[in-house]
Amino acid sequence: MTELMFPPCEGNELAARLGELADAGMAFLGRDTLTEPIGMLRARFTRDGTRLFAVRGSAGLFGVTVSTLNPYQGEIDIALPGADEQSYSDTIAAVLRLCRSHLALRSVLRFEPNRDDRAAHFERAGLSLLGVLRGARYTGGAYHDQRVWRGVTG
C-alpha cells in the first residue's frame, strides 16, 4: 500500500466532514456528532489544540490532541464512514507513522466504545488494549463503557 497522506482539515471542509460523520452516526474524539452542533465541536477542538486531518479518498477524519501532561503522547481518533477492514487497519497504521514523523509523538491513546468489532483492526495496526473504563461515556441517555487502546508510534 502507498503511504496515505493526511492534509490538514479546517473551515468548510471540516464542517462538511463532521456533518458526514453525524449522518453516519459516528462520534469523534469523544464527542457525539449527532447532538453537538458543529460550531461547538470546532470550538472545543480549537480550545484543546486538536489537530485535524482529512483522510484522502474518503469522508474520513483523523484528529490528535496532545496531552497537556506528556507532550510525547496524544489521544487520537480516526473516523472512516463505510471503510472496509483492510483500509481501516491500513489507515490506523499510517496515522501511527504520521504521529511519529510529523507530530513527534512516541505513543498514542485511543478511546473506543466497548465493542468487539474494532478490536481486530486495532491489534493488526499495532495497538494494545490497556483496559476498560466502566461507564465513562454518556450518550443516548445512558452511560457506556469504553476501551482504552495504546499504540507506540513509528
Side-chain angles (χ1 to χ4, degrees), residues 29-141:
L29 278 170
R31 310 314 296 179
D32 188 345
T33 59
L34 287 173
T35 60
E36 290 189 49
I38 289 173
M40 184 182 288
L41 291 171
R42 290 170 66 178
R44 177 185 180 262
F45 296 150
T46 299
R47 183 179 66 248
D48 292 346
T50 301
R51 297 185 63 182
L52 300 161
F53 302 89
V55 178
R56 287 197 175 142
S58 76
L61 193 59
F62 154 56
V64 60
T65 305
V66 176
S67 168
T68 55
L69 300 176
N70 179 356
Y72 300 107
Q73 183 175 68
E75 178 187 344
I76 64 169
D77 197 357
I78 303 124
L80 295 173
D84 62 30
E85 289 182 24
Q86 189 60 47
S87 64
Y88 193 79
S89 296
D90 290 346
T91 302
I92 295 169
V95 162
L96 289 176
R97 289 190 301 273
L98 173 109
C99 283
R100 171 62 114 187
S101 64
H102 291 81
L103 303 175
L105 297 176
R106 295 185 186 139
S107 64
V108 296
L109 295 178
R110 167 78 180 107
F111 294 85
E112 178 72 17
N114 196 17
R115 302 185 326 218
D116 288 329
D117 59 334
R118 298 258 177 98
H121 304 301
F122 295 142
E123 290 168 353
R124 228 182 343 262
L127 298 173
S128 58
L129 182 64
L130 284 179
V132 177
L133 299 172
R134 303 284 178 210
R137 180 173 164 83
Y138 185 82
T139 183

